[in-house]
Amino acid sequence: MTSLKAIRKIMIAAALAIPVALVPTSQAHAGIFISVGFAPPVLPVYAQPLCPGDGYIWTPGYWAYTDDGGYYWVPGVWVQPPTVGVLWTPAYWGWENGAYLFHDGYWGPHVGFYGGVNYGFGYGGIGFAGGEWRGGHFAYNSAVANIGGVHVTNVYVDREVVVHNTIVNPNHASFNGGAGGIAVRPRPEEVQAMHEQHIQPTGQQLQHQSFSAQNRSQFASANHGRPGVTAAASPAAFHANPGAAHPAAAGFAGHEAAPQEHAAPVSRTAPESHPAPAPAAHTAPAGHPAHPAPAAHPAPHEDKH
């Protein structure tokens, strides 16, 4: 059987050989479906780095898997979308037919189902609250996006959309379904989005995942659920300095991961039991730092397809 590493190399080579401009928006997304017999680790707690510039969209970190090393963390990064008007649907793991299946992320006109996983920073489990397209320009919701002093064309503040689209995930579960997983099902609009025409991850995103798989400090077997690097300003920043960790206090807290008693769950929460409990230090919701953000960035709160 062809190894996952070989498949990944083929995908990256293909992505690099075809310019993004030549990939039609009508192209159906075809991800790599990986089946694993044990659950991915819990989501690590981290802070969002400062947005590097106008037009970048945040893509949250996630656990990926390789057949010769197991689960490894792909740091969250700001990336440039392949075309105007598309949004990112994050990858997620789902318990199906006795195994954990990986559903790759994709670009599309609307955000589809990503397992109800609260990745934070606008990805509260339902849709995306970190920004929206307005007249060909991306507008940032500063309630969750760390734009700091970066000059961007459009900025707005909408905390309500964050509250109403946040799924409480006290155990930091990184997968949908099964024992300890997030017990939510796709909404009709998410199902519709899943069947829209998608664009595959860009060549830069594929390289970013491949580079993460080459860094042993990113593997759960080595870091025990505490990746060496959890987030970076961009894939290039991570590649240039793969050993520089992003501790929770070094970036933006975001606003969506408010204390649980203030959160407004819109669906069922994850069960109390979890096959891989979070380390004691991981007491904040996913996407929220374990310690207060620095004064420069205050925060009142934080497919298969």
Side-chain angles (χ1 to χ4, degrees):
M1 181 177 69
T2 304
S3 69
L4 296 178
K5 180 181 293 185
I7 295 175
R8 186 180 297 109
K9 288 181 178 179
I10 293 174
M11 285 193 67
I12 293 174
L16 295 177
I18 303 175
V20 171
L22 299 181
V23 179
T25 57
S26 61
Q27 177 177 327
H29 173 68
I32 300 177
F33 298 107
I34 303 171
S35 176
V36 184
F38 56 100
V42 298
L43 296 171
V45 175
Y46 65 92
Q48 185 183 58
L50 179 68
C51 178
D54 203 0
Y56 284 80
I57 294 179
W58 177 252
T59 59
Y62 59 94
W63 289 106
Y65 185 90
T66 179
D67 53 354
D68 60 357
Y71 287 108
Y72 63 95
W73 181 255
V74 180
V77 289
W78 291 93
V79 301
Q80 291 181 310
T83 187
V84 172
V86 295
L87 297 171
W88 177 248
T89 295
Y92 76 96
W93 291 89
W95 172 258
E96 302 172 47
N97 300 319
Y100 296 93
L101 302 184
F102 181 74
H103 302 259
D104 207 355
Y106 57 88
W107 295 95
H110 301 94
V111 177
F113 184 65
Y114 51 93
V117 179
N118 183 352
Y119 289 109
F121 311 113
Y123 297 95
I126 299 175
F128 177 54
E132 59 187 34
W133 288 96
R134 296 179 178 179
H137 295 279
F138 190 75
Y140 296 86
N141 183 1
S142 61
V144 291
N146 183 16
I147 55 176
V150 175
H151 175 72
V152 295
T153 305
N154 297 302
V155 180
Y156 65 99
V157 179
D158 186 349
R159 295 184 176 86
E160 289 299 315
V161 68
V162 177
V163 172
H164 294 303
N165 291 279
T166 295
I167 293 179
V168 177
N169 183 12
N171 295 324
H172 313 288
S174 61
F175 60 94
N176 177 275
I182 300 168
V184 300
R185 302 296 299 170
R187 300 178 303 162
E189 52 267 48
E190 290 175 318
V191 172
Q192 182 177 350
M194 289 162 60
H195 290 89
E196 291 177 335
Q197 295 170 326
H198 301 150
I199 301 176
Q200 68 177 358
T202 65
Q204 185 183 54
Q205 288 177 288
L206 292 173
Q207 284 182 318
H208 178 55
Q209 178 171 320
S210 178
F211 190 85
S212 302
Q214 298 171 34
N215 187 332
R216 301 311 299 180
S217 70
Q218 297 301 105
F219 280 81
S221 58
N223 60 48
H224 306 293
R226 299 169 183 259
V229 178
T230 50
S234 67
F238 171 50
H239 299 178
N241 193 6
H246 253 284
F252 187 65
H255 297 275
E256 75 276 28
Q260 297 299 336
E261 62 270 21
H262 295 155
V266 295
S267 185
R268 291 178 291 173
T269 62
E272 290 300 320
S273 61
H274 194 288
H282 292 191
T283 57
H288 190 287
H291 305 287
H297 303 294
H301 304 288
E302 132 87 34
D303 5 88
K304 300 169 187 167
H305 38 266

Coordinates of all heavy atoms in Angstrom, one line a residue, residues 9 41 88 139 171 287:
K9 N 3.9 13.7 -0.7 CA 4.9 14.3 -1.6 C 4.3 14.5 -3.0 O 4.6 15.5 -3.7 CB 6.1 13.3 -1.7 CG 6.9 13.3 -0.4 CD 8.1 12.4 -0.6 CE 9.0 12.4 0.7 NZ 10.2 11.5 0.6
P41 N -4.7 13.9 20.0 CA -4.6 14.6 21.3 C -5.6 15.8 21.4 O -6.2 16.2 20.4 CB -3.1 15.1 21.3 CG -2.5 14.2 20.3 CD -3.5 14.0 19.2
W88 N -11.9 29.9 4.6 CA -11.3 28.6 4.9 C -12.2 27.8 5.9 O -12.6 28.2 6.9 CB -9.9 28.9 5.6 CG -9.2 27.6 6.1 CD1 -8.9 27.3 7.4 CD2 -8.6 26.6 5.2 NE1 -8.2 26.1 7.4 CE2 -8.0 25.7 6.1 CE3 -8.5 26.5 3.8 CZ2 -7.3 24.6 5.6 CZ3 -7.8 25.4 3.4 CH2 -7.3 24.4 4.2
A139 N -12.6 42.2 5.4 CA -12.7 43.0 6.5 C -12.5 42.2 7.8 O -13.0 41.1 7.9 CB -14.1 43.7 6.6
N171 N -13.2 20.2 27.5 CA -12.1 19.2 27.5 C -11.2 19.4 26.3 O -10.2 18.6 26.1 CB -12.7 17.8 27.4 CG -13.5 17.4 28.6 OD1 -13.2 17.8 29.7 ND2 -14.6 16.7 28.4
G287 N -7.7 28.1 21.8 CA -7.5 29.4 21.2 C -7.4 30.5 22.2 O -7.3 31.7 21.8

